[in-house]
């Protein structure tokens, strides 16, 4: 049995150690990748300014609204990933980076061609998802008002009407001859990103044996050591991908809104080369928007 008094003291000590570790983790990240983290934060600032300065050109209807919304989500998620990495949680960055990349792939696919149809399918799939939730958790409707119950019934009925548009009920673009997110990535020239970034990020997201390896080590006597401390392992690579996604996001946003941002992007790519010693954006032979 635990000695409760001792346990309480140990918890207080652990809380102090965690606070100290957080300061040390942030300092380690800054010492290790100051230039890379600085560029990532600058790119986020650039995108914020571009968004603020182009308010008059914001799309207010049609497919550009959906593309812009997906791009904003991508930027916000990258910002979260950078915050996590800068705090010394590099191992956890892949989960967020994967999510940001998924938003970018969806946005690029919708923007490329047949944009009205693709955007409509994407938006209507939201009804299908809501219906799934209501079917799995009927208590949500039962606990609500009569008006909420009627709304739930309408959502389920609408989803039933939309079923034929989604042969694979688990993927929004299945009725567009696309079987998976990878198909979308290939279609918009982001295959490398899917295979290298998204797939590897899925290992951390789903808790595979591959991702768990970095959390468990072996002592000299071969007993397990559980690593719940902070880490800057792979920080540079994750930050590089974040910056890459941000540059692509700016490019696609510029194409959708017909903004002249080519010179600006050229300068940002130069800053990327300075920080990482290589070109930022992998070739995209298909183009982002049509």
């Amino acid at each position: 049995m635990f000695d409760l008094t001792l346990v309480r003291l140990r918890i207080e000590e652990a809380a102090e150690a965690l606070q100290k570790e957080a300061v040390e983790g942030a300092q380690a990240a800054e010492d290790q990748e100051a230039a890379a983290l600085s560029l990532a934060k600058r790119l986020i600032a650039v995108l914020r300014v571009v968004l603020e300065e182009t308010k008059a050109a914001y799309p207010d209807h049609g497919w550009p609204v959906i593309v812009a919304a997906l791009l904003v989500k991508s930027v916000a998620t990258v910002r979260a990933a950078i915050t996590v990495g800068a705090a010394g949680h590099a191992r956890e960055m892949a989960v967020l980076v994967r999510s940001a990349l998924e938003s970018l792939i969806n946005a690029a696919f919708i923007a490329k061609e047949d944009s009205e149809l693709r955007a409509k399918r994407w938006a209507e799939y939201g009804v299908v998802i809501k219906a799934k939730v209501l079917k799995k958790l009927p208590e949500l409707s039962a606990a609500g008002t009569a008006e909420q119950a009627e709304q739930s019934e309408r959502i389920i009925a609408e989803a039933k009407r939309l079923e034929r548009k989604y042969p694979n009920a688990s993927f929004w673009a299945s009725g567009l001859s696309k079987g998976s997110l990878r198909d979308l990535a290939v279609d918009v020239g982001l295959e490398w990103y899917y295979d290298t970034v998204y797939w590897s990020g899925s290992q951390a997201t789903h808790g595979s044996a591959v991702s768990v390896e970095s959390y468990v080590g072996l002592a000299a006597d071969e007993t397990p050591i559980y690593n719940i401390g902070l880490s800057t392992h792979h920080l540079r690579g994750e930050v590089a991908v974040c910056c890459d996604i941000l540059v692509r996001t700016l490019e696609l946003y510029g194409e959708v809104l017909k903004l002249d941002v080519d010179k600006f992007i050229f300068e940002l790519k130069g800053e990327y080369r300075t920080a990482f010693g290589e070109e930022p954006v992998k070739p995209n032979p298909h183009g982002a928007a049509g």
Side-chain angles (χ1 to χ4, degrees):
M1 296 291 290
F2 282 131
D3 181 326
L4 294 180
T5 300
L6 178 60
V7 167
R8 289 193 182 97
L9 289 173
R10 292 292 301 277
I11 290 173
E12 290 178 7
E13 292 172 356
E16 292 177 1
L18 288 170
Q19 186 172 359
K20 180 182 178 183
E21 188 178 273
V23 174
E24 292 174 346
Q27 188 60 57
E30 180 66 20
D31 291 344
Q32 183 175 318
E33 295 298 343
L37 288 167
S38 177
L39 175 59
K41 294 171 184 176
R42 171 167 158 71
L43 284 168
I44 293 170
V46 166
L47 278 155
R48 169 174 282 189
V49 170
V50 170
L51 287 168
E52 290 177 348
E53 292 297 316
T54 58
K55 283 182 179 179
Y58 274 7
D60 58 6
H61 67 281
W63 66 267
V65 174
I66 289 173
V67 171
L70 281 165
L71 293 179
V72 167
K73 179 185 180 299
S74 184
V75 174
T77 309
V78 166
R79 181 183 180 185
I82 293 300
T83 301
V84 165
H89 297 274
R91 283 181 304 206
E92 288 69 44
M93 287 182 73
V95 178
L96 291 163
V97 172
R98 180 180 188 264
S99 175
L101 181 59
E102 182 171 346
S103 295
L104 175 60
I105 290 172
N106 279 308
F109 177 73
I110 292 171
K112 183 183 175 185
E113 60 189 32
D114 299 324
S115 298
E116 287 291 354
L117 173 61
R118 292 178 176 187
K120 185 176 181 181
R121 290 291 174 86
W122 179 88
E124 290 180 335
Y125 188 65
V127 177
V128 175
I129 295 174
K130 289 177 183 177
K132 283 184 179 181
V133 173
L134 291 171
K135 289 178 181 178
K136 286 179 179 291
L137 302 171
E139 61 270 22
L140 292 178
S141 298
T145 64
E147 183 179 353
Q148 290 171 326
E150 289 178 9
Q151 183 180 21
S152 297
E153 290 177 4
R154 287 195 297 270
I155 290 172
I156 292 173
E158 178 66 6
K160 182 70 175 177
R161 185 183 68 80
L162 294 171
E163 279 181 358
R164 61 184 177 79
K165 296 183 179 181
Y166 307 97
N168 175 0
S170 298
F171 188 58
W172 75 268
S174 59
L176 301 171
S177 301
K178 302 297 179 184
S180 66
L181 183 70
R182 189 177 190 279
D183 289 344
L184 305 192
V186 171
D187 189 79
V188 296
L190 293 173
E191 181 179 358
W192 181 90
Y193 292 86
Y194 180 92
D195 291 341
T196 307
V197 178
Y198 186 87
W199 183 86
S200 61
S202 71
Q203 304 309 304
T205 303
H206 300 305
S208 72
V210 174
S211 67
V212 170
E213 284 180 354
S214 64
Y215 293 89
V216 182
L218 288 177
D221 61 358
E222 296 191 346
T223 56
I225 300 173
Y226 299 103
N227 304 316
I228 61 172
L230 306 188
S231 171
T232 57
H233 190 52
H234 290 318
L235 175 61
R236 183 177 181 80
E238 296 292 353
V239 176
V241 172
C242 285
C243 291
D244 194 323
I245 290 174
L246 292 170
V247 172
R248 278 193 173 275
T249 296
L250 180 58
E251 284 188 313
L252 183 53
Y253 185 76
E255 290 178 19
V256 171
L257 268 66
K258 303 295 189 295
L259 303 175
D260 184 12
V261 294
D262 290 349
K263 184 177 179 181
F264 203 12
I265 290 172
F266 179 80
E267 293 175 358
L268 293 174
K269 288 181 179 180
E271 293 181 32
Y272 186 103
R273 285 192 296 273
T274 299
F276 298 105
E278 59 184 11
E279 290 292 327
V281 179
K282 298 292 178 182
N284 182 357
H286 300 287

